[in-house]
Amino acid sequence: VIETLLIEEAMDRLKSGDVSGHDALIAARVREFTDVDVIVLAQASMASAKHLVYETTGKKVLTSPESCINKAVKMLFGENK
């Protein structure tokens, strides 16, 4: 099962320069997902919230930039990198 969440206010905070408020808002809202194994922060702008989301939920957290780079490294240099 895949569940999604849109946090429109988060981008407003980020645009105003409030990165910590942005990250805190994301971390607070993802607490709603108690029955998940992994949380994916799919927008690159959400990557800064990764550690706070993990601290808040204790769940594995993936970000799209990190996943993309990991895939590119594997494609370029093989699975052992």
Side-chain angles (χ1 to χ4, degrees):
V1 173
I2 296 176
E3 297 186 44
T4 62
L5 175 64
L6 175 63
I7 309 170
E8 293 183 32
E9 313 87 52
M11 184 55 77
D12 294 335
R13 291 194 184 184
L14 193 59
K15 286 180 180 178
S16 72
D18 184 8
V19 176
S20 60
H22 165 268
D23 295 353
L25 181 60
I26 292 169
R29 293 289 308 276
V30 298
R31 280 191 220 140
E32 298 171 20
F33 298 109
T34 57
D35 194 28
V36 298
D37 297 320
V38 176
I39 296 170
V40 179
L41 303 177
Q43 290 181 273
S45 61
M46 298 171 78
S48 61
K50 177 181 179 176
H51 297 291
L52 187 57
V53 169
Y54 174 75
E55 290 173 8
T56 302
T57 65
K59 305 288 184 178
K60 182 175 183 172
V61 181
L62 303 176
T63 67
S64 56
E66 186 177 27
S67 297
C68 179
I69 289 172
N70 288 340
K71 179 66 174 181
V73 167
K74 288 178 182 177
M75 289 174 67
L76 290 170
F77 303 106
E79 292 292 323
N80 296 326
K81 297 290 177 190

